[in-house]
Amino acid sequence: MFPHADTSRWWVSGQINIIPQGHVEFPALYTGANSLNPKSEIRASRIFTLYTAARLTKFSDIVFDAEEASGNGISNSLGLAGYTNIDVVRVPGQGTPLSIAPYMARAIFRYVFPLSRETEEAEPGPLGVLRSLPLRRLEFRAGNFALADLFDVNEVGSDSHLQFMNWTVVNNGAWHLAADTRGYTYGAMLEYDDRSWAIRFAEALMPTVANGSALDGDLRRARGENLELELHPNLIAKKPAEVRLLSYVNHANMGDYREAVDLFQEGKTSRPLIEATRQQGRAKYGFGINLEQQLSANLRAFGRFGWNHQEYLKLGGLGFLLGDGTLAYGRGNILEGYYNAHLWRGIYGALDLQHVANPTYNRDRGPVFVPALRLHIEL
């Protein structure tokens, strides 16, 4: 909406993102506690963000963002492994909205250690205002941030405000990143960048319970470790490509899905209960692949790959987002398409449509069409 000076050491901007979304009635043989509601419904989410940043020196800057989130999603954010609106925030396990009072979203300090005299241009924005960076460098960041701002980033499918809306398109669905309910955490990150590759590592705080709003400050017992290798291979002449290989290990007060299934099969619980196996010091790890390839001036391809469990849900277990009480397992297939229109200056409108086959990996429910509108304003 308003111009930003090219020479300023300050950055101030804002955004408004409003998404009304719904679905019509769909077939379901049964409905559980954490199922997608088979009756038609319409819900809306709203996010307002104030972005500020300042350049401290030639090699350092700071970021501070304030945010307000309200509204809710279809079925109170339950019943879909690939949830159709990543903007939705809620209280874990209850599907009710968090407070609509403004909160701190990011507070980040960055320092760049130059390792070469050659530099490249950098575009200032909400996550940093340095205008040039050494081609070879070491970057240090610390503070309050979202791991998804810095890891598993993809230029085609990482911005739910202008691109896809589905959780598993915007982020790797099998990545259990360290974060509170709103998606933020405290941590530190070290990144090495070279001409054709980069590697980054972050240590971050875990929530005291899965998807909880309180973070555990004791790194000796709870922490999330994330490592990502980024490669820029030359697969097609003059067509940029990026490959990101992600791994993570979470240490926290967590349950064990295999143990929960064993207790149920031994007749010690009425159904698999992950909460009954919660124990401090457990570790969970996973891997992800993120691919991006420019094909032509107007065409890019991208993909994400990850892995997660199925037996727990199949036997009637409930997760904090999922659980029909039982299921006839089937692969969850989601198709999403959107049209984004630049209406005027910083005002954008979008039409979005998603088709979900086998919601919650269940062939006994669905399919369901989920249309949405989106108004995005950049200030």
Side-chain angles (χ1 to χ4, degrees):
M1 294 290 290
F2 307 107
H4 296 273
D6 292 335
T7 58
S8 175
R9 62 184 297 178
W10 302 92
W11 177 277
V12 179
S13 66
Q15 67 89 28
I16 299 170
N17 210 58
I18 301 173
I19 299 177
Q21 188 175 70
H23 68 80
V24 298
E25 186 171 341
F26 65 88
L29 296 183
Y30 45 83
T31 298
N34 288 356
S35 295
L36 185 71
N37 184 359
K39 303 297 183 182
S40 61
E41 55 180 333
I42 298 175
R43 299 289 185 270
S45 65
R46 299 171 291 277
I47 292 185
F48 304 84
T49 311
L50 173 65
Y51 301 104
T52 67
R55 186 171 67 250
L56 302 178
T57 69
K58 183 180 179 180
F59 297 115
S60 65
D61 58 12
I62 55 173
V63 167
F64 182 85
D65 299 342
E67 199 164 70
E68 177 184 298
S70 59
N72 53 25
I74 56 174
S75 298
N76 287 327
S77 313
L78 301 173
L80 291 170
Y83 195 72
T84 52
N85 180 3
I86 196 174
D87 276 4
V88 170
V89 293
R90 59 179 191 81
V91 173
Q94 299 177 23
T96 55
L98 291 163
S99 167
I100 62 172
Y103 56 89
M104 179 181 70
R106 299 174 185 86
I108 311 169
F109 169 77
R110 174 174 64 159
Y111 193 88
V112 177
F113 299 89
L115 301 177
S116 70
R117 292 176 180 248
E118 294 180 86
T119 62
E120 60 182 356
E121 289 187 8
E123 185 175 349
L127 289 177
V129 288
L130 299 183
R131 297 187 173 276
S132 68
L133 294 168
L135 281 176
R136 292 177 58 242
R137 63 188 181 274
L138 194 64
E139 293 192 25
F140 171 77
R141 286 181 172 89
N144 184 56
F145 53 80
L147 281 168
D149 288 338
L150 308 170
F151 290 79
D152 192 40
V153 176
N154 194 299
E155 289 190 6
V156 187
S158 284
D159 185 357
S160 64
H161 296 170
L162 288 170
Q163 299 171 334
F164 298 97
M165 300 180 189
N166 192 281
W167 193 333
T168 54
V169 179
V170 177
N171 297 139
N172 192 314
W175 178 28
H176 288 188
L177 66 164
D180 62 13
T181 311
R182 298 190 188 276
Y184 300 104
T185 185
Y186 287 92
M189 189 186 90
L190 196 62
E191 175 178 334
Y192 173 79
D193 285 86
D194 212 320
R195 290 172 175 79
S196 60
W197 66 283
I199 189 168
R200 55 190 65 94
F201 174 81
E203 190 95 34
L205 299 186
M206 290 288 292
T208 54
V209 296
N211 203 43
S213 56
L215 297 170
D216 191 334
D218 189 343
L219 288 175
R220 294 172 298 177
R221 67 182 183 189
R223 61 194 180 276
E225 294 157 344
N226 297 263
L227 179 67
E228 185 175 61
L229 174 65
E230 179 179 312
L231 306 173
H232 303 162
N234 187 18
L235 302 177
I236 304 176
K238 298 182 180 180
K239 300 290 191 300
E242 295 189 5
V243 177
R244 300 174 183 88
L245 307 175
L246 173 70
S247 66
Y248 73 91
V249 180
N250 292 337
H251 307 264
N253 182 22
M254 299 183 291
D256 184 277
Y257 288 104
R258 186 175 290 108
E259 184 178 328
V261 169
D262 290 342
L263 289 174
F264 167 70
Q265 292 177 334
E266 293 168 3
K268 297 180 180 179
T269 57
S270 59
R271 60 177 174 82
L273 292 170
I274 189 66
E275 298 88 348
T277 66
R278 189 173 289 155
Q279 181 179 317
Q280 193 66 254
R282 289 196 187 275
K284 180 174 184 176
Y285 63 90
F287 304 93
I289 302 174
N290 181 327
L291 307 174
E292 184 179 345
Q293 174 67 62
Q294 188 80 34
L295 299 176
S296 69
N298 299 309
L299 183 63
R300 288 184 291 184
F302 82 104
R304 284 186 172 93
F305 302 87
W307 170 86
N308 217 322
H309 51 272
Q310 63 169 309
E311 188 70 12
Y312 177 81
L313 294 172
K314 185 176 181 180
L315 294 174
L318 301 179
F320 67 85
L321 286 175
L322 306 175
D324 294 333
T326 183
L327 58 82
Y329 183 81
R331 187 179 66 187
N333 296 321
I334 300 173
L335 178 65
E336 179 178 7
Y338 71 89
Y339 179 79
N340 212 38
H342 186 186
L343 303 177
W344 180 71
R345 290 197 175 182
I347 303 177
Y348 299 82
L351 299 172
D352 184 276
L353 180 63
Q354 299 179 52
H355 176 267
V356 182
N358 305 330
T360 319
Y361 312 110
N362 193 348
R363 297 195 310 272
D364 290 340
R365 309 184 83 250
V368 56
F369 284 93
V370 185
L373 301 174
R374 177 175 59 202
L375 174 65
H376 178 67
I377 302 175
E378 295 183 350
L379 304 173

